Every structure is written in C-alpha cells, then in structure tokens.
Amino acid sequence: MEDQISATELAFNAYVKLKKVDPDNELVKVMDSDSVTDEDFINRFWDKEEPWEGKPGSMVSMRVETNYFLEVKKELKEKHSVEI
C-alpha cells in the first residue's frame, strides 16, 4: 500500500511541476482532460507485454503512475532543464 501511495505522490508532484512550466504539454493534458478515462491512462502508460486486465488494481496503478512520473521527469529535464 505504501508503494502505491508513493507512486501516486510522485506522479502528482511531477504533474504539478510540469504544469507550472508547460501547461499545454501532452502529459499535463492527459491528467487534466475529462475525456481521458482511467483505461486510456492505463493503456498509455502500461509497458508490459502481458495485458494489465486481470492484474491487481494496486499493481497496475503503481506501474502506470511510476511510468507517468518517469516520462514527466524526462520531459522536464530534456525540455525545461528542471530536475526532480
């Protein structure tokens, strides 16, 4: 459970930092858009060959939130010279 909370906090904090420097970024829009469903988000950030369906929700959530964080971290560093 603590891993899940940590992944959520990392993803949210990264999102906030990116939104401050680049509010029109695609990774910000993914979080802000009402049209992006949970399933859309999972499909976008799930990086395993086997499907996420049927896996424990906490594991799926932790994986996709961590991957979101890593993409935002890369975006911040490469495009905005911001380290997190």
Side-chain angles (χ1 to χ4, degrees):
M1 184 66 149
E2 288 180 31
D3 291 340
Q4 172 57 47
I5 293 168
S6 295
T8 301
E9 288 175 355
L10 283 172
F12 182 75
N13 291 336
Y15 153 78
V16 168
K17 285 187 187 245
L18 183 59
K19 188 171 183 173
K20 284 182 184 176
V21 297
D22 191 358
D24 295 323
N25 189 287
E26 173 204 353
L27 293 168
V28 171
K29 291 178 181 179
V30 165
M31 292 288 270
D32 283 346
S33 176
D34 290 335
S35 65
V36 176
T37 65
D38 289 345
E39 188 171 314
D40 293 335
F41 187 84
I42 292 168
N43 288 331
R44 165 72 171 79
F45 295 102
W46 184 255
D47 63 344
K48 296 286 193 180
E49 285 187 31
E50 68 273 3
W52 58 268
E53 293 91 344
K55 304 255 187 263
S58 59
M59 186 196 87
V60 171
S61 184
M62 184 176 66
R63 184 80 184 186
V64 298
E65 288 172 349
T66 299
N67 287 339
Y68 175 84
F69 165 77
L70 292 172
E71 284 195 37
V72 171
K73 179 181 175 180
K74 181 179 177 184
E75 188 86 0
L76 283 167
K77 184 175 182 177
E78 290 179 358
K79 294 187 178 176
H80 304 287
S81 300
V82 174
E83 295 275 346
I84 57 172

